[in-house]
């Protein structure tokens, strides 16, 4: 599907091109009555909408399918096409509703529509509704769709996992990197340079009117942003500036996924070009630091850019070996879709060994992308749609490498959500804090609230603990056999049954609590803590 290529290319090119075309059309035809396409006969307009759909211009296709649906409300083909368009643009609510409408009217003609509606409900975080629709798809197809029913069971497992994870969240705060980093279009591939600067890829545009293909502003490029000093908000960023260390940005290609070798003398990144139907094909390049400057980027050979799209390079030490990880949708030796691959580098000769698939402990029949290897922990982090997920792509970790892995784990809520999460990467200086890319609610978006990806900061909570004791107010003697309760501003309650009058609770940053001490035949008392 086109939108997958777009995510892997690190920019939603469909949204960028389509929004630009839509804006130009609106500028030219301020009134719907002035748009010549709107005046076309039904079947010619339908052909026009279908052509837009096939070319990947989903936003413009929506406009004309909506016009056609007003003329023919019961035409389920139009409704299904609208559902598909909204799905590809990651506008989950209307997609779920249109798929459901199709299934209720034409279940025999569109038996998969209820399954797709369930997927959209899942990405909305409506897990109970999603489970009901997945179960209906299974029940309505007792003898067919064996592979999809198996997948539906895994999606149900993901819904249940998500609800349990939300009840027991990880002790982290997820903060948007802010408007100095993020724009209305997609940002991607965060790469921290020490603890003070962030390298990332962006178009750095906030409106379709800013796009001008002639100037090269239409292409995504590398930029850097320094953290602000002497401000109350942790990890806030200054205005982003062009990244000019080497000749990496290119007005003819989208560039992204930058990373340095462990020694800092090589810089890997991807150039992505637009193919037919707005599909994107990416290739991995490398530049070397020689004679006080970076060399002209060279296309990596030795099988690394073999077949299909190759992207998301990350170079790291795995034990004593230096390894280049990347994702590829090549067919040979593939588990399916995009897989995580690796190549061991001979640091003496500079040669790259034949790439190998990371194996079934990591890769599935679906897509695995954006590998990051933490040499300190000996863990591979990656985004997957094939493992049990809370929504679309989730971040997983696996211990081992480069070829064998164990203990594959979902990072849980709120790192993962019902939306898509990709590009997990930790700070390089020993702190547990990290970055992630997500289209979750709260992202700066040009179109619908979940259309576009932003860079988010993961701040691991300090371990905060409140301790105290319950005493008799008159005698100041410590009480025994008392019940202490702690409730936060959201009404979440914790209870501590104390035999000797001492108590302790775990606390979360940024919350205020009220504590009460209770014992039969005694008046209760209160205390507060923030």
């Amino acid at each position: 599907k086109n939108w997958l290529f777009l995510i892997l290319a690190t920019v939603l090119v469909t949204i960028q091109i389509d929004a630009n075309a839509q804006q130009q059309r609106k500028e030219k035809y301020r009134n719907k009555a002035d748009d010549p396409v709107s005046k076309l006969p039904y079947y010619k307009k339908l052909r026009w909408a279908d052509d837009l759909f096939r070319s990947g211009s989903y936003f413009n296709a929506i406009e004309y399918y909506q016009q056609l649906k007003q003329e023919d409300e019961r035409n389920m083909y139009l409704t299904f096409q609208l559902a598909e368009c909204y799905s590809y643009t990651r506008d989950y609510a209307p997609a779920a509703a249109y798929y459901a409408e199709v299934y209720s009217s034409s279940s025999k003609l569109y038996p998969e529509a209820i399954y797709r509606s369930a997927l959209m409900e899942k990405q909305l975080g409506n897990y109970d509704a999603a489970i009901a629709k997945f179960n209906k798809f299974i029940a309505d197809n007792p003898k067919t769709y064996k592979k999809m029913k198996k997948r539906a069971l895994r999606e149900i497992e993901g819904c249940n996992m998500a609800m349990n994870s939300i009840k027991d969240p990880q002790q982290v705060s997820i903060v948007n990197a802010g408007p100095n980093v993020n724009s209305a279009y997609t940002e991607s591939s965060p790469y921290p340079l020490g603890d003070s600067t962030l390298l990332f890829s962006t178009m750095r545009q906030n409106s379709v009117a800013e796009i001008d293909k002639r100037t090269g502003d239409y292409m995504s490029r590398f930029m850097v942003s320094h953290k602000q000093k002497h401000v109350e908000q942790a990890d806030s960023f200054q205005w982003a500036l062009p990244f000019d260390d080497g000749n990496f940005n290119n007005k003819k290609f989208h560039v992204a996924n930058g990373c340095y070798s462990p020694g800092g003398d090589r810089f890997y990144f991807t150039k992505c070009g637009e193919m037919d139907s707005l599909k994107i094909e990416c290739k991995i390049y490398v530049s070397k630091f020689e004679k006080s400057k970076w060399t002209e980027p060279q296309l990596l050979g030795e099988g690394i850019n073999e077949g299909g799209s190759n992207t998301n390079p990350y170079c790291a030490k795995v034990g004593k070996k230096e390894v280049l990880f990347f994702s590829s949708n090549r067919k040979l030796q593939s588990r399916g879709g995009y897989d995580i691959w690796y190549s061991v580098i001979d640091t003496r000769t500079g040669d790259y060994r034949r790439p190998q698939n990371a194996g079934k402990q990591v890769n599935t029949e679906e897509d695995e992308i954006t590998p990051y290897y933490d040499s300190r922990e000996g863990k591979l982090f990656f985004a997957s749609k094939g493992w049990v997920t809370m929504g679309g792509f989730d971040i997983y970790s696996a211990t081992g490498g480069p070829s064998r892995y164990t203990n594959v784990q979902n990072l849980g809520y709120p790192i993962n959500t019902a939306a898509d999460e990709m590009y997990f990467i930790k700070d390089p200086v020993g702190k547990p804090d990290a970055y992630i890319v997500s289209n979750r609610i709260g992202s700066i978006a040009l179109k619908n609230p979940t259309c576009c990806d932003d860079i988010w900061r993961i701040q691991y909570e300090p371990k905060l603990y409140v301790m105290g004791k319950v005493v008799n107010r008159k005698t100041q003697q410590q009480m025994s056999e008392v019940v202490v309760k702690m409730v936060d501003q959201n009404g979440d309650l914790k209870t501590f049954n104390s035999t000797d009058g001492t108590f302790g609770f775990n606390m979360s940053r940024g919350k205020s609590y009220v504590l009460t001490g209770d014992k039969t035949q005694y008046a209760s008392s209160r205390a507060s803590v923030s």
Side-chain angles (χ1 to χ4, degrees), residues 450-477:
T450 51
C451 73
C452 308
D453 297 309
D454 271 4
I455 295 170
W456 295 75
R457 181 71 166 147
I458 301 173
Q459 299 170 332
Y460 280 81
E461 300 280 8
K463 293 183 179 179
L464 300 176
Y465 196 70
V466 57
M467 295 182 293
K469 59 184 179 181
V470 183
V471 298
N472 184 310
R473 183 173 291 174
K474 288 184 178 180
T475 66
Q476 294 299 305
Q477 294 297 309

Side-chain angles (χ1 to χ4, degrees), residues 12-22 213 218 274 278:
L12 288 175
V13 179
T14 296
I15 289 172
Q16 294 161 2
I17 297 173
D18 196 5
N20 189 35
Q22 196 173 45
K213 290 188 179 183
Y218 160 70
E274 294 173 21
L278 303 185

Side-chain angles (χ1 to χ4, degrees), residues 52-81:
L52 288 170
F53 179 85
R54 283 189 291 269
S55 70
S57 187
Y58 302 120
F59 283 111
N60 280 327
I62 286 171
E63 183 178 338
Y64 296 114
Y65 283 133
Q66 291 283 19
Q67 292 180 23
L68 290 161
K69 188 170 172 60
Q70 289 179 3
E71 298 179 42
D72 190 2
E73 288 187 11
R74 296 185 180 181
N75 188 325
M76 287 301 106
Y77 171 78
L78 298 175
T79 308
F80 184 79
Q81 289 298 98

Side-chain angles (χ1 to χ4, degrees), residues 179-183 202-206 210 221 223 239:
N180 288 342
V181 169
N182 293 313
S183 66
T202 179
M203 277 184 66
R204 198 67 222 153
Q205 310 289 353
N206 281 299
E210 295 175 11
R221 66 266 194 189
M223 299 191 81
W239 184 252

Side-chain angles (χ1 to χ4, degrees), residues 117-146:
S117 182
L119 287 176
M120 296 298 100
E121 296 283 8
K122 186 187 176 197
Q123 294 227 241
L124 282 166
N126 298 334
Y127 295 118
D128 288 331
I131 290 171
K133 289 182 178 181
F134 283 127
N135 281 326
K136 182 167 180 58
F137 172 75
I138 294 169
D140 289 356
N141 296 279
K143 297 181 180 180
T144 55
Y145 296 101
K146 291 183 179 180

Side-chain angles (χ1 to χ4, degrees), residues 42 69 83 133 160 182 241 268 277 354 390 394 448 452:
Y42 180 91
K69 188 170 172 60
K133 289 182 178 181
N160 288 318
N182 293 313
L241 301 171
Y268 298 91
S277 298
R354 184 76 184 172
M390 296 179 63
D394 272 11
N448 65 74
C452 308

Side-chain angles (χ1 to χ4, degrees), residues 23 63 96 152 189 192 200 205 209 215 233 250 380 396 407 430-431 438 440 455 473 484 488 516:
Q23 179 71 12
E63 183 178 338
S189 57
F200 60 101
Q205 310 289 353
T215 64
Q233 182 180 343
N250 192 305
L380 176 69
Y396 271 81
N407 197 29
K431 293 198 308 182
S438 176
R440 66 184 66 194
I455 295 170
R473 183 173 291 174
V484 183
D488 66 14
T516 59

